[in-house]
Amino acid sequence: MESGRIYFDPSCHSNMLFIGKGDSAFRGGKSVLNMEENSNRRPFFSTSEELYDEEYYDEQLPGKKRRLTSEQVHLLEKSFETENKLEPDRKTQLAKNLGLQPRQVAIWFQNRRARWKNKQLERNYDQLKSSYDSLLSNYDSIVKENDKLKTELISLSTEKVQSKESAEETAACTKSEAPPEEVPPPCLQLTIKVEDRLSTDGSAVIDDNGPQLIDSGADSYFQNEYSGCVAAFDSVNSEEDDGTGSDDNGSYFSNVFSAAVQQEPIGWSIWS
DNA sequence: TTGTGTTTTATTGCCTCC
DNA sequence: GGAGGCAATAAAACACAA
């Protein structure tokens, strides 16, 4: 303990005085409270002399912390309501009226202010929480609405895409004679052309009146045709390499194509 | 009766003001 | 530097369930 304040420690079993730092109110050599064992546990002191009645204190509850009576608390509460700070004069007056030490009154006010502050914090917390809950509820409903709208939007765009596709399909059917977008190379066109012919009615038909396969040694007409086609490419390339290519007979492709058309009756083989 | 949680009274140390 | 306020804390008193 440091010098500066003089305290009575009610928790001590001896009625000791001690000096401490802080509030300097002298608390006397004894607890100033008395005890009423029944309802209020202790009666009011009616006179200031009773406050320091050592015998009374020792008989009642030596070395014990005592609670204020309900009457004392009631008066303190009323005083606190009017003003929660305690001026020295008011403190002295209250202490006198209640039969308490001024320091006890000061401590009571101090603790009461602390309790009031806690209550205030609780109230503020409750207010903030309720407004937070309200905002959260609004937020949730907005999120739900947003999700609903998103779903609606997705289903609408899906429907639109599907209807567009079916419209395009319809348009494509009506334009069945339209040229294909990609024209295959002439040699492939030839192949396709012949295949089409072979696959007429789903079966290969040999025209009895038509020309018969002459060169049995050849694998097939198409292979020859195709190798010819590749050779023709090689030829083109070589010409280009030479730099002496000539346009005598027009383009190579037109030659090949016309040849294919003219050679149509060369020979047939059965594709299996 | 006892263990446990809450309330009340009081102490301590620090800070601000005059 | 003294007076007084405040936050943190101790400890007694009290309430209450098991």
Side-chain angles (χ1 to χ4, degrees):
Chain A
M1 278 299 165
E2 304 172 46
S3 61
R5 291 184 186 178
I6 304 169
Y7 297 109
F8 167 67
D9 182 2
S11 64
C12 292
H13 287 255
S14 61
N15 300 326
M16 64 182 293
L17 272 174
F18 60 88
I19 296 170
K21 188 184 166 192
D23 194 305
S24 62
F26 174 68
R27 301 194 58 227
K30 298 286 175 189
S31 165
V32 295
L33 299 174
N34 50 5
M35 195 65 161
E36 187 179 53
E37 290 297 330
N38 296 325
S39 58
N40 290 330
R41 295 186 297 281
R42 60 184 177 275
F44 263 115
F45 287 110
S46 53
T47 65
S48 57
E49 296 81 60
E50 284 178 318
L51 293 173
Y52 304 98
D53 187 342
E54 295 191 11
E55 280 79 12
Y56 186 88
Y57 173 77
D58 285 339
E59 282 169 12
Q60 294 303 311
L61 271 168
K64 292 286 180 181
K65 188 184 281 188
R66 276 152 211 116
R67 295 203 164 188
L68 306 181
T69 66
S70 55
E71 291 91 343
Q72 285 171 318
V73 171
H74 179 69
L75 279 174
L76 286 166
E77 287 285 355
K78 286 192 86 174
S79 182
F80 184 82
E81 278 175 24
T82 53
E83 176 63 58
N84 71 348
K85 287 279 174 89
L86 204 56
E87 303 81 30
D89 289 347
R90 195 158 142 249
K91 178 167 72 179
T92 311
Q93 191 59 47
L94 261 175
K96 207 169 184 177
N97 292 344
L98 295 169
L100 296 171
Q101 284 294 313
R103 171 163 171 81
Q104 280 182 293
V105 176
I107 288 170
W108 188 91
F109 266 74
Q110 204 161 293
N111 287 327
R112 186 67 182 80
R113 279 193 294 270
R115 269 178 265 149
W116 181 85
K117 194 178 175 183
N118 280 337
K119 287 280 177 194
Q120 196 61 35
L121 282 172
E122 277 179 25
R123 277 193 288 270
N124 289 345
Y125 171 79
D126 288 342
Q127 281 182 351
L128 283 172
K129 191 174 185 303
S130 69
S131 79
Y132 168 78
D133 287 343
S134 166
L135 283 171
L136 187 64
S137 162
N138 283 348
Y139 172 77
D140 284 345
S141 63
I142 286 169
V143 165
K144 278 179 188 170
E145 180 68 17
N146 192 28
D147 286 347
K148 191 183 161 190
L149 288 170
K150 271 185 190 169
T151 311
E152 220 169 285
L153 181 65
I154 288 167
S155 76
L156 283 172
S157 14
T158 308
E159 271 177 35
K160 195 175 180 183
V161 166
Q162 282 173 349
S163 64
K164 191 182 176 186
E165 282 176 356
S166 66
E168 282 174 356
E169 276 175 23
T170 311
C173 288
T174 56
K175 291 182 183 177
S176 57
E177 288 166 6
E181 288 181 13
E182 286 185 13
V183 180
C187 48
L188 291 181
Q189 284 182 26
L190 185 66
T191 305
I192 292 162
K193 192 174 180 178
V194 175
E195 277 182 338
D196 285 346
R197 188 176 297 173
L198 286 171
S199 62
T200 304
D201 297 334
S203 61
V205 177
I206 296 174
D207 190 351
D208 289 337
N209 301 325
Q212 298 301 308
L213 204 58
I214 300 166
D215 185 10
S216 59
D219 287 341
S220 75
Y221 163 80
F222 300 103
Q223 281 179 346
N224 292 340
E225 246 341 88
Y226 187 71
S227 60
C229 182
V230 172
F233 272 108
D234 287 341
S235 160
V236 169
N237 288 339
S238 64
E239 281 178 6
E240 284 178 355
D241 288 344
D242 293 341
T244 57
S246 65
D247 290 333
D248 296 348
N249 300 318
S251 75
Y252 167 80
F253 295 109
S254 60
N255 291 342
V256 171
F257 188 74
S258 59
V261 172
Q262 287 167 4
Q263 289 172 4
E264 193 174 23
I266 289 174
W268 299 97
S269 64
I270 298 172
W271 294 80
S272 60

PDB file of all heavy atoms in Angstrom, chain A residues 1 8 27 65 67-68 104 111, chain B residues 7-14:
ATOM      1  N   MET A   1       0.817  -1.208   0.000  1.00  0.00           N
ATOM      2  CA  MET A   1       0.000   0.000   0.000  1.00  0.00           C
ATOM      3  C   MET A   1       0.852   1.260   0.000  1.00  0.00           C
ATOM      4  O   MET A   1       1.869   1.333   0.670  1.00  0.00           O
ATOM      5  CB  MET A   1      -0.881   0.014   1.252  1.00  0.00           C
ATOM      6  CG  MET A   1      -2.145  -0.818   1.116  1.00  0.00           C
ATOM      7  SD  MET A   1      -3.170  -0.220  -0.206  1.00  0.00           S
ATOM      8  CE  MET A   1      -4.236  -1.637  -0.367  1.00  0.00           C
ATOM      9  N   PHE A   8     -10.394   1.424   5.075  1.00  0.00           N
ATOM     10  CA  PHE A   8     -10.738   0.346   5.992  1.00  0.00           C
ATOM     11  C   PHE A   8     -11.029  -0.868   5.126  1.00  0.00           C
ATOM     12  O   PHE A   8     -11.798  -0.805   4.170  1.00  0.00           O
ATOM     13  CB  PHE A   8     -11.989   0.705   6.801  1.00  0.00           C
ATOM     14  CG  PHE A   8     -12.554  -0.470   7.528  1.00  0.00           C
ATOM     15  CD1 PHE A   8     -11.864  -1.057   8.556  1.00  0.00           C
ATOM     16  CD2 PHE A   8     -13.769  -1.000   7.127  1.00  0.00           C
ATOM     17  CE1 PHE A   8     -12.390  -2.160   9.193  1.00  0.00           C
ATOM     18  CE2 PHE A   8     -14.289  -2.092   7.784  1.00  0.00           C
ATOM     19  CZ  PHE A   8     -13.601  -2.686   8.824  1.00  0.00           C
ATOM     20  N   ARG A  27     -12.129   6.230   5.764  1.00  0.00           N
ATOM     21  CA  ARG A  27     -13.226   5.308   5.926  1.00  0.00           C
ATOM     22  C   ARG A  27     -13.424   4.863   7.356  1.00  0.00           C
ATOM     23  O   ARG A  27     -14.206   3.975   7.616  1.00  0.00           O
ATOM     24  CB  ARG A  27     -13.016   4.107   5.017  1.00  0.00           C
ATOM     25  CG  ARG A  27     -12.909   4.509   3.578  1.00  0.00           C
ATOM     26  CD  ARG A  27     -13.034   3.334   2.684  1.00  0.00           C
ATOM     27  NE  ARG A  27     -14.286   2.641   2.900  1.00  0.00           N
ATOM     28  CZ  ARG A  27     -14.354   1.339   3.032  1.00  0.00           C
ATOM     29  NH1 ARG A  27     -13.286   0.607   3.010  1.00  0.00           N
ATOM     30  NH2 ARG A  27     -15.512   0.767   3.214  1.00  0.00           N
ATOM     31  N   LYS A  65     -18.005  -8.107   4.185  1.00  0.00           N
ATOM     32  CA  LYS A  65     -18.480  -7.067   3.267  1.00  0.00           C
ATOM     33  C   LYS A  65     -19.996  -7.004   3.393  1.00  0.00           C
ATOM     34  O   LYS A  65     -20.654  -8.038   3.379  1.00  0.00           O
ATOM     35  CB  LYS A  65     -18.096  -7.454   1.845  1.00  0.00           C
ATOM     36  CG  LYS A  65     -18.365  -6.364   0.832  1.00  0.00           C
ATOM     37  CD  LYS A  65     -18.056  -6.839  -0.563  1.00  0.00           C
ATOM     38  CE  LYS A  65     -16.579  -6.812  -0.838  1.00  0.00           C
ATOM     39  NZ  LYS A  65     -16.252  -7.096  -2.249  1.00  0.00           N
ATOM     40  N   ARG A  67     -23.800  -5.438   2.317  1.00  0.00           N
ATOM     41  CA  ARG A  67     -24.592  -4.786   1.272  1.00  0.00           C
ATOM     42  C   ARG A  67     -25.419  -3.665   1.881  1.00  0.00           C
ATOM     43  O   ARG A  67     -25.795  -3.728   3.054  1.00  0.00           O
ATOM     44  CB  ARG A  67     -25.507  -5.795   0.607  1.00  0.00           C
ATOM     45  CG  ARG A  67     -24.723  -6.846  -0.126  1.00  0.00           C
ATOM     46  CD  ARG A  67     -25.549  -7.494  -1.195  1.00  0.00           C
ATOM     47  NE  ARG A  67     -24.661  -8.204  -2.106  1.00  0.00           N
ATOM     48  CZ  ARG A  67     -25.066  -8.749  -3.233  1.00  0.00           C
ATOM     49  NH1 ARG A  67     -26.314  -8.629  -3.606  1.00  0.00           N
ATOM     50  NH2 ARG A  67     -24.231  -9.380  -4.007  1.00  0.00           N
ATOM     51  N   LEU A  68     -25.729  -2.718   1.051  1.00  0.00           N
ATOM     52  CA  LEU A  68     -26.555  -1.616   1.507  1.00  0.00           C
ATOM     53  C   LEU A  68     -27.996  -2.097   1.648  1.00  0.00           C
ATOM     54  O   LEU A  68     -28.417  -3.035   0.956  1.00  0.00           O
ATOM     55  CB  LEU A  68     -26.495  -0.448   0.526  1.00  0.00           C
ATOM     56  CG  LEU A  68     -25.106   0.066   0.171  1.00  0.00           C
ATOM     57  CD1 LEU A  68     -25.213   1.225  -0.793  1.00  0.00           C
ATOM     58  CD2 LEU A  68     -24.338   0.479   1.412  1.00  0.00           C
ATOM     59  N   GLN A 104     -18.105   5.616   0.694  1.00  0.00           N
ATOM     60  CA  GLN A 104     -19.022   4.558   0.259  1.00  0.00           C
ATOM     61  C   GLN A 104     -20.013   5.100  -0.769  1.00  0.00           C
ATOM     62  O   GLN A 104     -20.336   4.422  -1.735  1.00  0.00           O
ATOM     63  CB  GLN A 104     -19.778   4.001   1.461  1.00  0.00           C
ATOM     64  CG  GLN A 104     -18.978   3.015   2.257  1.00  0.00           C
ATOM     65  CD  GLN A 104     -19.804   2.457   3.399  1.00  0.00           C
ATOM     66  OE1 GLN A 104     -20.154   3.187   4.320  1.00  0.00           O
ATOM     67  NE2 GLN A 104     -20.113   1.176   3.325  1.00  0.00           N
ATOM     68  N   ASN A 111     -19.678   2.730  -9.096  1.00  0.00           N
ATOM     69  CA  ASN A 111     -20.133   1.428  -9.577  1.00  0.00           C
ATOM     70  C   ASN A 111     -21.452   1.555 -10.347  1.00  0.00           C
ATOM     71  O   ASN A 111     -21.657   0.857 -11.337  1.00  0.00           O
ATOM     72  CB  ASN A 111     -20.305   0.456  -8.406  1.00  0.00           C
ATOM     73  CG  ASN A 111     -18.980   0.005  -7.848  1.00  0.00           C
ATOM     74  OD1 ASN A 111     -17.996  -0.137  -8.583  1.00  0.00           O
ATOM     75  ND2 ASN A 111     -18.901  -0.208  -6.545  1.00  0.00           N
TER      76      ASN A 111
ATOM     77  P    DT B   7     -26.380 -10.366 -13.152  1.00  0.00           P
ATOM     78  OP1  DT B   7     -27.709  -9.942 -13.633  1.00  0.00           O
ATOM     79  OP2  DT B   7     -25.163 -10.091 -13.932  1.00  0.00           O
ATOM     80  O5'  DT B   7     -26.170  -9.755 -11.699  1.00  0.00           O
ATOM     81  C5'  DT B   7     -27.076 -10.139 -10.670  1.00  0.00           C
ATOM     82  C4'  DT B   7     -26.685  -9.469  -9.366  1.00  0.00           C
ATOM     83  O4'  DT B   7     -25.501 -10.124  -8.826  1.00  0.00           O
ATOM     84  C3'  DT B   7     -26.347  -7.989  -9.472  1.00  0.00           C
ATOM     85  O3'  DT B   7     -27.043  -7.301  -8.450  1.00  0.00           O
ATOM     86  C2'  DT B   7     -24.830  -7.944  -9.291  1.00  0.00           C
ATOM     87  C1'  DT B   7     -24.584  -9.145  -8.398  1.00  0.00           C
ATOM     88  N1   DT B   7     -23.232  -9.778  -8.468  1.00  0.00           N
ATOM     89  C2   DT B   7     -22.556 -10.033  -7.300  1.00  0.00           C
ATOM     90  O2   DT B   7     -22.986  -9.766  -6.200  1.00  0.00           O
ATOM     91  N3   DT B   7     -21.336 -10.638  -7.470  1.00  0.00           N
ATOM     92  C4   DT B   7     -20.739 -11.001  -8.668  1.00  0.00           C
ATOM     93  O4   DT B   7     -19.642 -11.543  -8.679  1.00  0.00           O
ATOM     94  C5   DT B   7     -21.503 -10.705  -9.849  1.00  0.00           C
ATOM     95  C7   DT B   7     -20.950 -11.052 -11.188  1.00  0.00           C
ATOM     96  C6   DT B   7     -22.697 -10.114  -9.703  1.00  0.00           C
ATOM     97  P    DT B   8     -26.978  -5.732  -8.336  1.00  0.00           P
ATOM     98  OP1  DT B   8     -28.305  -5.266  -7.900  1.00  0.00           O
ATOM     99  OP2  DT B   8     -26.358  -5.207  -9.569  1.00  0.00           O
ATOM    100  O5'  DT B   8     -25.948  -5.525  -7.141  1.00  0.00           O
ATOM    101  C5'  DT B   8     -26.190  -6.207  -5.912  1.00  0.00           C
ATOM    102  C4'  DT B   8     -25.047  -5.972  -4.948  1.00  0.00           C
ATOM    103  O4'  DT B   8     -23.888  -6.726  -5.371  1.00  0.00           O
ATOM    104  C3'  DT B   8     -24.595  -4.521  -4.827  1.00  0.00           C
ATOM    105  O3'  DT B   8     -24.479  -4.206  -3.448  1.00  0.00           O
ATOM    106  C2'  DT B   8     -23.242  -4.499  -5.538  1.00  0.00           C
ATOM    107  C1'  DT B   8     -22.744  -5.913  -5.283  1.00  0.00           C
ATOM    108  N1   DT B   8     -21.761  -6.456  -6.267  1.00  0.00           N
ATOM    109  C2   DT B   8     -20.642  -7.107  -5.796  1.00  0.00           C
ATOM    110  O2   DT B   8     -20.397  -7.245  -4.623  1.00  0.00           O
ATOM    111  N3   DT B   8     -19.817  -7.585  -6.773  1.00  0.00           N
ATOM    112  C4   DT B   8     -19.995  -7.502  -8.137  1.00  0.00           C
ATOM    113  O4   DT B   8     -19.180  -7.980  -8.918  1.00  0.00           O
ATOM    114  C5   DT B   8     -21.188  -6.814  -8.562  1.00  0.00           C
ATOM    115  C7   DT B   8     -21.479  -6.654 -10.019  1.00  0.00           C
ATOM    116  C6   DT B   8     -22.002  -6.332  -7.621  1.00  0.00           C
ATOM    117  P    DT B   9     -24.355  -2.724  -2.945  1.00  0.00           P
ATOM    118  OP1  DT B   9     -25.279  -2.554  -1.826  1.00  0.00           O
ATOM    119  OP2  DT B   9     -24.401  -1.818  -4.112  1.00  0.00           O
ATOM    120  O5'  DT B   9     -22.860  -2.696  -2.374  1.00  0.00           O
ATOM    121  C5'  DT B   9     -22.504  -3.606  -1.339  1.00  0.00           C
ATOM    122  C4'  DT B   9     -21.004  -3.672  -1.195  1.00  0.00           C
ATOM    123  O4'  DT B   9     -20.429  -4.303  -2.362  1.00  0.00           O
ATOM    124  C3'  DT B   9     -20.303  -2.337  -1.022  1.00  0.00           C
ATOM    125  O3'  DT B   9     -19.515  -2.390   0.165  1.00  0.00           O
ATOM    126  C2'  DT B   9     -19.431  -2.206  -2.278  1.00  0.00           C
ATOM    127  C1'  DT B   9     -19.211  -3.672  -2.645  1.00  0.00           C
ATOM    128  N1   DT B   9     -18.900  -3.947  -4.083  1.00  0.00           N
ATOM    129  C2   DT B   9     -17.815  -4.737  -4.391  1.00  0.00           C
ATOM    130  O2   DT B   9     -17.078  -5.221  -3.553  1.00  0.00           O
ATOM    131  N3   DT B   9     -17.623  -4.945  -5.726  1.00  0.00           N
ATOM    132  C4   DT B   9     -18.396  -4.460  -6.761  1.00  0.00           C
ATOM    133  O4   DT B   9     -18.113  -4.722  -7.921  1.00  0.00           O
ATOM    134  C5   DT B   9     -19.521  -3.640  -6.365  1.00  0.00           C
ATOM    135  C7   DT B   9     -20.417  -3.061  -7.413  1.00  0.00           C
ATOM    136  C6   DT B   9     -19.716  -3.427  -5.059  1.00  0.00           C
ATOM    137  P    DA B  10     -18.773  -1.142   0.719  1.00  0.00           P
ATOM    138  OP1  DA B  10     -18.733  -1.276   2.184  1.00  0.00           O
ATOM    139  OP2  DA B  10     -19.342   0.068   0.082  1.00  0.00           O
ATOM    140  O5'  DA B  10     -17.298  -1.341   0.151  1.00  0.00           O
ATOM    141  C5'  DA B  10     -16.606  -2.531   0.489  1.00  0.00           C
ATOM    142  C4'  DA B  10     -15.317  -2.627  -0.309  1.00  0.00           C
ATOM    143  O4'  DA B  10     -15.632  -2.897  -1.695  1.00  0.00           O
ATOM    144  C3'  DA B  10     -14.440  -1.371  -0.302  1.00  0.00           C
ATOM    145  O3'  DA B  10     -13.203  -1.688   0.335  1.00  0.00           O
ATOM    146  C2'  DA B  10     -14.269  -1.027  -1.779  1.00  0.00           C
ATOM    147  C1'  DA B  10     -14.619  -2.331  -2.487  1.00  0.00           C
ATOM    148  N9   DA B  10     -15.166  -2.189  -3.834  1.00  0.00           N
ATOM    149  C8   DA B  10     -16.299  -1.512  -4.211  1.00  0.00           C
ATOM    150  N7   DA B  10     -16.544  -1.559  -5.500  1.00  0.00           N
ATOM    151  C5   DA B  10     -15.497  -2.316  -6.002  1.00  0.00           C
ATOM    152  C6   DA B  10     -15.180  -2.731  -7.300  1.00  0.00           C
ATOM    153  N6   DA B  10     -15.897  -2.435  -8.377  1.00  0.00           N
ATOM    154  N1   DA B  10     -14.055  -3.489  -7.468  1.00  0.00           N
ATOM    155  C2   DA B  10     -13.323  -3.792  -6.382  1.00  0.00           C
ATOM    156  N3   DA B  10     -13.531  -3.449  -5.108  1.00  0.00           N
ATOM    157  C4   DA B  10     -14.644  -2.713  -4.987  1.00  0.00           C
ATOM    158  P    DT B  11     -12.058  -0.651   0.391  1.00  0.00           P
ATOM    159  OP1  DT B  11     -11.384  -0.861   1.702  1.00  0.00           O
ATOM    160  OP2  DT B  11     -12.555   0.689   0.015  1.00  0.00           O
ATOM    161  O5'  DT B  11     -11.062  -1.145  -0.754  1.00  0.00           O
ATOM    162  C5'  DT B  11     -10.689  -2.530  -0.779  1.00  0.00           C
ATOM    163  C4'  DT B  11      -9.669  -2.776  -1.887  1.00  0.00           C
ATOM    164  O4'  DT B  11     -10.327  -2.717  -3.165  1.00  0.00           O
ATOM    165  C3'  DT B  11      -8.518  -1.777  -1.941  1.00  0.00           C
ATOM    166  O3'  DT B  11      -7.307  -2.510  -2.100  1.00  0.00           O
ATOM    167  C2'  DT B  11      -8.831  -0.922  -3.162  1.00  0.00           C
ATOM    168  C1'  DT B  11      -9.584  -1.908  -4.049  1.00  0.00           C
ATOM    169  N1   DT B  11     -10.560  -1.336  -5.007  1.00  0.00           N
ATOM    170  C2   DT B  11     -10.457  -1.660  -6.340  1.00  0.00           C
ATOM    171  O2   DT B  11      -9.592  -2.374  -6.789  1.00  0.00           O
ATOM    172  N3   DT B  11     -11.423  -1.096  -7.136  1.00  0.00           N
ATOM    173  C4   DT B  11     -12.458  -0.272  -6.730  1.00  0.00           C
ATOM    174  O4   DT B  11     -13.264   0.166  -7.540  1.00  0.00           O
ATOM    175  C5   DT B  11     -12.504   0.018  -5.330  1.00  0.00           C
ATOM    176  C7   DT B  11     -13.587   0.901  -4.798  1.00  0.00           C
ATOM    177  C6   DT B  11     -11.571  -0.523  -4.531  1.00  0.00           C
ATOM    178  P    DT B  12      -5.907  -1.823  -1.908  1.00  0.00           P
ATOM    179  OP1  DT B  12      -5.000  -2.804  -1.295  1.00  0.00           O
ATOM    180  OP2  DT B  12      -6.114  -0.487  -1.313  1.00  0.00           O
ATOM    181  O5'  DT B  12      -5.458  -1.615  -3.429  1.00  0.00           O
ATOM    182  C5'  DT B  12      -5.492  -2.741  -4.313  1.00  0.00           C
ATOM    183  C4'  DT B  12      -5.147  -2.307  -5.715  1.00  0.00           C
ATOM    184  O4'  DT B  12      -6.329  -1.785  -6.357  1.00  0.00           O
ATOM    185  C3'  DT B  12      -4.088  -1.218  -5.811  1.00  0.00           C
ATOM    186  O3'  DT B  12      -3.042  -1.670  -6.650  1.00  0.00           O
ATOM    187  C2'  DT B  12      -4.817  -0.022  -6.408  1.00  0.00           C
ATOM    188  C1'  DT B  12      -5.961  -0.695  -7.149  1.00  0.00           C
ATOM    189  N1   DT B  12      -7.191   0.114  -7.336  1.00  0.00           N
ATOM    190  C2   DT B  12      -7.804   0.138  -8.558  1.00  0.00           C
ATOM    191  O2   DT B  12      -7.380  -0.466  -9.526  1.00  0.00           O
ATOM    192  N3   DT B  12      -8.939   0.894  -8.622  1.00  0.00           N
ATOM    193  C4   DT B  12      -9.514   1.618  -7.592  1.00  0.00           C
ATOM    194  O4   DT B  12     -10.543   2.271  -7.775  1.00  0.00           O
ATOM    195  C5   DT B  12      -8.838   1.543  -6.337  1.00  0.00           C
ATOM    196  C7   DT B  12      -9.369   2.293  -5.169  1.00  0.00           C
ATOM    197  C6   DT B  12      -7.719   0.809  -6.263  1.00  0.00           C
ATOM    198  P    DG B  13      -1.649  -0.971  -6.655  1.00  0.00           P
ATOM    199  OP1  DG B  13      -0.604  -2.007  -6.617  1.00  0.00           O
ATOM    200  OP2  DG B  13      -1.656   0.142  -5.674  1.00  0.00           O
ATOM    201  O5'  DG B  13      -1.661  -0.328  -8.121  1.00  0.00           O
ATOM    202  C5'  DG B  13      -2.060  -1.132  -9.218  1.00  0.00           C
ATOM    203  C4'  DG B  13      -2.374  -0.260 -10.419  1.00  0.00           C
ATOM    204  O4'  DG B  13      -3.689   0.332 -10.248  1.00  0.00           O
ATOM    205  C3'  DG B  13      -1.407   0.909 -10.629  1.00  0.00           C
ATOM    206  O3'  DG B  13      -1.071   0.972 -11.999  1.00  0.00           O
ATOM    207  C2'  DG B  13      -2.205   2.137 -10.197  1.00  0.00           C
ATOM    208  C1'  DG B  13      -3.618   1.703 -10.574  1.00  0.00           C
ATOM    209  N9   DG B  13      -4.687   2.378  -9.856  1.00  0.00           N
ATOM    210  C8   DG B  13      -4.716   2.709  -8.526  1.00  0.00           C
ATOM    211  N7   DG B  13      -5.827   3.315  -8.168  1.00  0.00           N
ATOM    212  C5   DG B  13      -6.566   3.384  -9.348  1.00  0.00           C
ATOM    213  C6   DG B  13      -7.851   3.942  -9.573  1.00  0.00           C
ATOM    214  O6   DG B  13      -8.614   4.490  -8.768  1.00  0.00           O
ATOM    215  N1   DG B  13      -8.226   3.796 -10.904  1.00  0.00           N
ATOM    216  C2   DG B  13      -7.464   3.195 -11.873  1.00  0.00           C
ATOM    217  N2   DG B  13      -7.996   3.152 -13.092  1.00  0.00           N
ATOM    218  N3   DG B  13      -6.262   2.683 -11.676  1.00  0.00           N
ATOM    219  C4   DG B  13      -5.880   2.809 -10.389  1.00  0.00           C
ATOM    220  P    DC B  14       0.142   1.868 -12.475  1.00  0.00           P
ATOM    221  OP1  DC B  14       1.080   1.000 -13.216  1.00  0.00           O
ATOM    222  OP2  DC B  14       0.612   2.724 -11.362  1.00  0.00           O
ATOM    223  O5'  DC B  14      -0.592   2.812 -13.529  1.00  0.00           O
ATOM    224  C5'  DC B  14      -1.520   2.226 -14.456  1.00  0.00           C
ATOM    225  C4'  DC B  14      -2.465   3.290 -14.968  1.00  0.00           C
ATOM    226  O4'  DC B  14      -3.420   3.612 -13.929  1.00  0.00           O
ATOM    227  C3'  DC B  14      -1.794   4.604 -15.358  1.00  0.00           C
ATOM    228  O3'  DC B  14      -2.065   4.885 -16.716  1.00  0.00           O
ATOM    229  C2'  DC B  14      -2.429   5.639 -14.440  1.00  0.00           C
ATOM    230  C1'  DC B  14      -3.737   4.978 -14.041  1.00  0.00           C
ATOM    231  N1   DC B  14      -4.268   5.434 -12.727  1.00  0.00           N
ATOM    232  C2   DC B  14      -5.547   5.971 -12.662  1.00  0.00           C
ATOM    233  O2   DC B  14      -6.236   6.044 -13.691  1.00  0.00           O
ATOM    234  N3   DC B  14      -6.026   6.389 -11.466  1.00  0.00           N
ATOM    235  C4   DC B  14      -5.259   6.285 -10.372  1.00  0.00           C
ATOM    236  N4   DC B  14      -5.777   6.712  -9.212  1.00  0.00           N
ATOM    237  C5   DC B  14      -3.942   5.742 -10.420  1.00  0.00           C
ATOM    238  C6   DC B  14      -3.495   5.334 -11.602  1.00  0.00           C
TER     239       DC B  14
END
